[in-house]
Amino acid sequence: MKKPLNPSAKTASAAHEVRIIGGEWKRTRLPVPDRGGLRPTPSRVRETLFNWLGQDLAGLRCIDAFAGTGALGLEAASRGATEVVLVEQASDLVRSLSVMVTKLKASAVRVERGDGVSALRQRGGQGWDLVFLDPPFGEDGNPSLFQAALQAASHVIHGAGEIYLEAPMVWTDEALEPFGLKVHRHGKAGAVAFHLLRPIAVA
């Protein structure tokens, strides 16, 4: 969930839905409420991400820390993730996520209302496999939020875990080093940069 950088740019919210693109629930429509600042991860970006991750996520434990429409977390669950937590602060989006989880009979998915960074901090040291970070961009890019989210997420994953990051800028290895992270893959789609991050191996 994030605010578009260019107010005049068309976003996925204009279509009022996005679709799960693979797995058990392929083509399932996810509603996109007409809500300022809500901008789901585009289908082509999700397709690239899940090509990076692999089509079968069986056995993985995932946290979608800024869930919004749930497109990332539900995509992971559709592809077999064993446990998925969708964290969202907005009450209307939490209700929408809960309805969708019930409709899909998604027993592996749990919806949690709360702050994404706080939810990650509470799970520090638990050794999760994958964290999705798609924080709101805000007018100034929300640098403090991104830093806090990366710091918290770096303590949630295990040594072979991964973090997916969407941001209004490309994050470099140098910028990620203070968090003990490095870039494994990255790409750009319009004004959005997306990354797959891994922990820096400790010698």
Side-chain angles (χ1 to χ4, degrees):
M1 180 177 74
K2 47 190 173 289
K3 189 170 184 176
L5 295 178
N6 182 354
S8 65
K10 290 185 178 181
T11 68
S13 60
H16 299 292
E17 67 180 31
V18 294
R19 296 186 185 220
I20 294 175
I21 56 177
E24 180 183 358
W25 306 317
K26 184 177 181 179
R27 299 188 186 89
T28 296
R29 299 176 181 183
L30 304 178
V32 178
D34 188 7
R35 190 177 192 278
L38 184 64
R39 186 181 185 280
T41 301
S43 294
R44 62 181 173 136
V45 174
R46 280 184 287 127
E47 185 172 5
T48 299
L49 168 61
F50 285 93
N51 284 337
W52 291 347
L53 293 171
Q55 302 302 315
D56 184 0
L57 302 188
L60 296 191
R61 300 168 66 231
C62 312
I63 302 173
D64 189 349
F66 301 89
T69 63
L72 290 169
L74 290 172
E75 188 80 49
S78 180
R79 296 167 187 259
T82 301
E83 182 177 359
V84 177
V85 178
L86 305 177
V87 183
E88 175 53 51
Q89 199 161 32
S91 58
D92 57 329
L93 295 178
V94 170
R95 286 192 296 271
S96 180
L97 289 170
S98 297
V99 167
M100 182 56 63
V101 167
T102 299
K103 176 182 176 181
L104 294 173
K105 300 180 181 179
S107 59
V109 181
R110 183 167 75 257
V111 179
E112 181 178 304
R113 184 179 181 188
D115 172 70
V117 173
S118 296
L120 291 171
R121 287 173 177 163
Q122 291 167 9
R123 292 171 170 86
Q126 292 184 4
W128 289 68
D129 299 292
L130 179 61
V131 173
F132 297 107
L133 294 181
D134 185 11
F137 287 179
E139 295 291 345
D140 62 352
N142 266 342
S144 61
L145 175 58
F146 276 83
Q147 290 166 8
L150 284 165
Q151 186 68 54
S154 69
H155 293 295
V156 169
I157 57 172
H158 54 71
E162 295 177 305
I163 297 170
Y164 171 72
L165 173 68
E166 275 189 48
M169 56 172 273
V170 174
W171 281 74
T172 63
D173 286 343
E174 183 179 9
L176 291 164
E177 187 176 3
F179 309 108
L181 300 169
K182 63 181 179 180
V183 178
H184 175 57
R185 299 277 184 87
H186 69 91
K188 285 203 74 177
V192 176
F194 54 100
H195 319 67
L196 191 61
L197 312 178
R198 289 181 173 175
I200 297 172
V202 178

